[in-house]
Amino acid sequence: MELAHYSDFAVRLVNTEEPARGKDTLTSVEVLRELFGPATQMARRVTEADLPRFRTVRARLRAVFAAADEGDHTGAVDLLNSLLLEFPVSPQISGHDTLDEEGRPRWHMHLADHSSNATTGYAAISAMGLAFHLTEFGADRLGLCQAPPCRNAYLDTSTNRSRRYCSDRCATRANVAAYRARKRLEAARSDHTGRTEDTSQASTTPAER
């Protein structure tokens, strides 16, 4: 589904905050404008008043990812539906300036922006994109990074639905941590086995020896 790419708007906004680390990069108008990417016309409408509104939408979008990550797919859909009702979109057919091999416009669906402010427009696009992604690929494709304390949002596009981390960096960090944990456990077991053997030998009577 072509409209599913709008779900990236939701991921970008959610990941401006790392609650476990106490980090929040949503601190200026410039940061808000960068979230829009190539949608520069929408970005130009951003004002200081959008900062608290964006943070509110961010928390609601994170709740969608959190519900899906916990396996509460119905809860994720309910939360997303509430966003869709509050921030409706206007789909339009667009061709822009892209032509096919025969010189005809490459028609595709586009989410037009007729919102009253930048927050409303961004929220509408994020929610609709996430909705298309969810219905096309499944709620289990929405997740939060399993490498603590990260918890960044991600969209699983793997062929076997196996993604668990937001980035290769987090995946590597988690794998290294798991490897070290296994080594510590093996060392502890080996040490325990050695102490058990020593105790057993010490308790053997002279006659038994």
Side-chain angles (χ1 to χ4, degrees):
M1 177 65 69
E2 192 167 345
L3 289 177
H5 78 275
Y6 283 106
S7 57
D8 290 338
F9 279 69
V11 173
R12 287 201 296 270
L13 178 55
V14 170
N15 290 347
T16 58
E17 181 185 34
E18 295 183 67
R21 290 189 172 114
K23 296 175 63 176
D24 185 351
T25 60
L26 208 59
T27 57
S28 68
V29 169
E30 289 69 27
V31 172
L32 290 184
R33 287 174 177 159
E34 290 175 1
L35 288 173
F36 285 90
T40 55
Q41 184 174 352
M42 295 175 63
R44 283 195 291 269
R45 296 161 54 195
V46 173
T47 68
E48 289 285 346
D50 286 301
L51 278 168
R53 294 195 290 250
F54 262 74
R55 293 191 186 106
T56 298
V57 172
R58 179 180 64 189
R60 294 175 66 182
L61 287 170
R62 175 173 283 277
V64 175
F65 279 93
D69 187 67
E70 293 166 3
D72 183 8
H73 297 170
T74 300
V77 169
D78 288 343
L79 291 168
L80 191 49
N81 274 335
S82 68
L83 284 164
L84 292 170
L85 287 171
E86 187 173 343
F87 302 105
V89 297
S90 300
Q92 291 182 345
I93 299 174
S94 176
H96 296 302
D97 298 322
T98 306
L99 304 178
D100 61 18
E101 294 78 4
E102 298 181 12
R104 296 172 302 191
R106 294 183 182 275
W107 302 114
H108 63 275
M109 292 301 296
H110 173 75
L111 299 183
D113 177 34
H114 301 304
S115 55
S116 58
N117 58 65
T119 304
T120 301
Y122 197 98
I125 288 176
S126 298
M128 182 56 73
L130 209 54
F132 273 108
H133 193 96
L134 186 151
T135 54
E136 180 74 4
F137 303 109
D140 58 341
R141 293 288 188 155
L142 279 60
L144 294 174
C145 186
Q146 299 300 302
C150 178
R151 303 302 281 168
N152 271 350
Y154 65 84
L155 298 169
D156 184 3
T157 56
S158 64
T159 55
N160 57 355
R161 300 174 182 265
S162 61
R163 185 171 179 178
R164 295 294 179 270
Y165 307 104
C166 68
S167 64
D168 290 340
R169 178 181 179 183
C170 277
T172 299
R173 182 161 55 86
N175 289 335
V176 170
Y179 173 79
R180 289 175 177 171
R182 287 196 301 271
K183 287 299 182 182
R184 286 195 296 269
L185 180 59
E186 290 171 2
R189 286 175 175 170
S190 176
D191 184 52
H192 177 73
T193 300
R195 289 200 303 270
T196 301
E197 291 176 349
D198 290 343
T199 302
S200 176
Q201 291 175 3
S203 63
T204 303
T205 65
E208 291 174 330
R209 292 174 185 167

